[in-house]
Amino acid sequence: MQRLYDFFRRHPTGVDTFWAVLLLGFSGLWLVSEVHGAQQPIATLFTIGLCLVIALRRKYPEKMLLLTAAIGIGQLIFDIESNPGDFAMFVITYTVASGTTRWASRCALAGALVSPALSLWRFGEGPESRPVWEMLFFTALLTVPFVLAWVLGDSMRTRRAYWAQLEEKAARLEKEREAQARIAVAAERARIARELHDVVAHNVSVMVVQADGAAYVLDAAPEQTRQALETISGTGRQALAEMRRLLGVLRTGEQAEGGEYVPQPGVEQLTDLMDQVRGAGLPVDFRVEGEPRPLPSSVELTAYRIVQEALTNTRKHGGPDVGATVRLSYKDDDLDLLVEDDGRGAQHELYEEGGADGLGHGLIGMRERVGMVGGSLTAGPRPGGGFRVSAVLPLKPTR
């Protein structure tokens, strides 16, 4: 049944031609039995024209409407009474009303209102043989089917326009969803890039410092050399594990090795970070002020990465004998971070424009992270020497 329906939709002119041939058969019976004399050729011509209207109504609706109007006027002139072929007038009225050409639809409505009255006036017995109310009644009775055909066609046009609007809206929403998905993918890749920078910059700098120290005391202090190599090994494994987790996010339909990703670091891991930094040769004074409490995961990750990046910058650019201070303060509505060092702070300004590594991801990455959680960041040289990074991270969502 569905195939038959699809066939009809693909061949509308063929279907209309079938109905036109059927109408021609009924009209032929009327011509043979009811029309005689000189009217028969004219009636035959009009009948063929009305059947042609049925066959081509969807292919040339406006032209078929004009042809129907001409045939109707010809029937009035040559005194051809109503016949089965006039059914085409109902069909073309519906067809034109369901189309998008408004002038043709208005003309069809005007014809639907006027044609029955003209037909009754031309072929009726006249007002002198019938009461006025009876004439009005029959006129209205003949007008109703034409008007109903126009109303049905106009309703179909409105319904088609409504469905077309819904389809357009659905297509637009689909495009918007695709655009949002692409934006989300880009944002996720940017976040992963920042994560990779933090992991590589911190862990590789620790490994470089330990390697330099090991090379310096290789002959004089073998035990310290062994400890430095162990630190390098542990730091490298940690860096590989975090990089494997981040790169696993980029895979489609795959998970990182081990089945699950490593949890994101938070403020609880800051103690381990301090031990690692101290082991690399950077003395750090770490203090926590206020009452520790559970924090949003985004705030915890941001706090950890800011401290990690700030200490990495201190170790790389603070110079010899540099020391650092880290303060973590729990407030009622926010979490305050303060990282200071007493090294060559003026050189840290290079980070804002590109940094010594030529990448410029240090302070820029910090600002992006803080901005994502709705906080604020202040970074710059400290009075008296050194560098200071201060961040305020709100603990409640901001509007």
Side-chain angles (χ1 to χ4, degrees), residues 118-168:
L118 293 176
S119 178
L120 190 62
W121 169 78
R122 181 69 176 82
F123 304 111
E125 297 179 1
E128 63 278 357
S129 60
R130 288 186 180 183
V132 176
W133 66 268
E134 187 175 346
M135 293 290 295
L136 294 176
F137 173 76
F138 280 106
T139 301
L141 191 64
L142 292 175
T143 304
V144 168
F146 284 94
V147 174
L148 286 179
W150 184 89
V151 170
L152 183 61
D154 191 68
S155 300
M156 183 61 67
R157 178 191 63 81
T158 304
R159 183 179 180 183
R160 288 173 181 169
Y162 173 73
W163 282 111
Q165 185 179 8
L166 288 181
E167 290 177 356
E168 181 183 359

Side-chain angles (χ1 to χ4, degrees), residues 199-200 203-204 207 233-245:
V199 170
V200 172
N203 291 286
V204 172
M207 294 169 65
S233 176
T235 303
R237 289 192 181 93
Q238 180 182 358
L240 286 176
E242 292 199 36
M243 291 180 65
R244 188 179 295 115
R245 172 181 64 83

Side-chain angles (χ1 to χ4, degrees), residues 72-215:
I73 295 174
Q75 287 179 340
L76 294 176
I77 295 174
F78 294 99
D79 197 21
I80 306 297
E81 295 184 358
S82 300
N83 57 82
D86 291 340
F87 179 75
M89 298 181 179
F90 293 98
V91 177
I92 194 61
T93 299
Y94 164 82
T95 302
V96 172
S98 64
T100 58
T101 308
R102 300 310 298 159
W103 69 265
S105 178
R106 296 189 184 97
C107 291
L109 179 60
L113 295 173
V114 174
S115 299
L118 293 176
S119 178
L120 190 62
W121 169 78
R122 181 69 176 82
F123 304 111
E125 297 179 1
E128 63 278 357
S129 60
R130 288 186 180 183
V132 176
W133 66 268
E134 187 175 346
M135 293 290 295
L136 294 176
F137 173 76
F138 280 106
T139 301
L141 191 64
L142 292 175
T143 304
V144 168
F146 284 94
V147 174
L148 286 179
W150 184 89
V151 170
L152 183 61
D154 191 68
S155 300
M156 183 61 67
R157 178 191 63 81
T158 304
R159 183 179 180 183
R160 288 173 181 169
Y162 173 73
W163 282 111
Q165 185 179 8
L166 288 181
E167 290 177 356
E168 181 183 359
K169 184 178 180 180
R172 186 171 64 253
L173 291 176
E174 183 66 23
K175 291 181 180 178
E176 291 178 357
R177 281 195 295 267
E178 292 177 358
Q180 292 175 357
R182 288 193 294 269
I183 293 174
V185 170
E188 181 66 12
R189 290 181 179 274
R191 184 189 69 81
I192 293 173
R194 290 194 299 268
E195 291 286 319
L196 284 174
H197 170 265
D198 293 341
V199 170
V200 172
H202 172 74
N203 291 286
V204 172
S205 65
V206 171
M207 294 169 65
V208 169
V209 171
Q210 292 292 331
D212 291 342

Side-chain angles (χ1 to χ4, degrees), residues 206-323:
V206 171
M207 294 169 65
V208 169
V209 171
Q210 292 292 331
D212 291 342
Y216 183 75
V217 297
L218 178 62
D219 297 326
E223 182 63 24
Q224 294 182 11
T225 302
R226 185 181 64 81
Q227 293 178 356
L229 293 176
E230 291 177 354
T231 302
I232 293 174
S233 176
T235 303
R237 289 192 181 93
Q238 180 182 358
L240 286 176
E242 292 199 36
M243 291 180 65
R244 188 179 295 115
R245 172 181 64 83
L246 293 173
L247 294 176
V249 178
L250 297 176
R251 300 172 185 166
T252 302
E254 298 180 5
Q255 276 192 334
E257 184 179 345
E260 295 183 357
Y261 300 130
V262 178
Q264 298 277 12
V267 294
E268 294 182 357
Q269 283 72 40
L270 286 177
T271 303
D272 297 334
L273 177 64
M274 299 305 151
D275 294 338
Q276 186 182 46
V277 171
R278 293 186 185 110
L282 174 63
V284 181
D285 180 17
F286 176 57
R287 296 182 184 179
V288 178
E289 300 175 353
E291 184 66 26
R293 58 184 183 275
L295 303 175
S297 58
S298 58
V299 174
E300 289 208 26
L301 176 61
T302 300
Y304 182 90
R305 292 306 186 195
I306 289 176
V307 174
Q308 183 185 52
E309 179 65 27
L311 294 178
T312 299
N313 292 343
T314 297
R315 186 169 52 251
K316 292 171 62 177
H317 305 281
D321 302 325
V322 62

